[in-house]
Amino acid sequence: MPLHVLGINHHSAPLEVREKLAFPPETQADVLTSLASRPGVAEAVLVSTCNRTEVYCRAADVATVRDWLTEQASRSGLDIDSHLYLHSETEAVRHA
């Protein structure tokens, strides 16, 4: 499974958006469990600071993870599509 990084940061999203998508430490275990329970998600790490919220994961289909993060944002009334970035590992990089 490829490695994916999805998120928002101080370059891609204004402060108001970053504040609403931040995951406090006391909620991180629950939100990670909800992501890991999605079909095709093998493992995931969540990084949530004042400047960024990123998900690092191994998933068969990155759309599953993107949908999950979009759902999390919509709970705070956010549409993050224009702020979200995605980096995926390619087969060539993994086998080098």
Side-chain angles (χ1 to χ4, degrees):
M1 280 186 200
L3 176 66
H4 306 286
V5 178
L6 293 92
I8 62 171
N9 65 22
H10 64 283
H11 295 292
S12 70
L15 179 61
E16 310 81 61
V17 171
R18 295 191 320 265
E19 286 177 335
K20 290 182 180 178
L21 191 58
F23 295 95
E26 62 272 8
T27 67
Q28 290 181 6
D30 290 337
V31 295
L32 273 173
T33 298
S34 75
L35 174 57
S37 69
R38 298 279 174 115
V41 177
E43 49 191 347
V45 173
L46 174 66
V47 176
S48 188
T49 71
C50 59
N51 283 327
R52 65 186 171 142
T53 294
E54 293 178 328
V55 175
Y56 296 78
C57 63
R58 291 215 179 267
D61 184 2
V62 71
T64 301
V65 182
R66 183 185 180 103
D67 291 347
W68 175 86
L69 192 55
T70 301
E71 288 169 17
Q72 297 301 311
S74 69
R75 291 179 180 179
S76 296
L78 293 174
D79 178 1
I80 61 169
D81 286 337
S82 64
H83 305 292
L84 191 63
Y85 54 82
L86 164 66
H87 304 286
S88 293
E89 174 186 52
T90 64
E91 286 291 322
V93 172
R94 287 191 302 157
H95 295 291

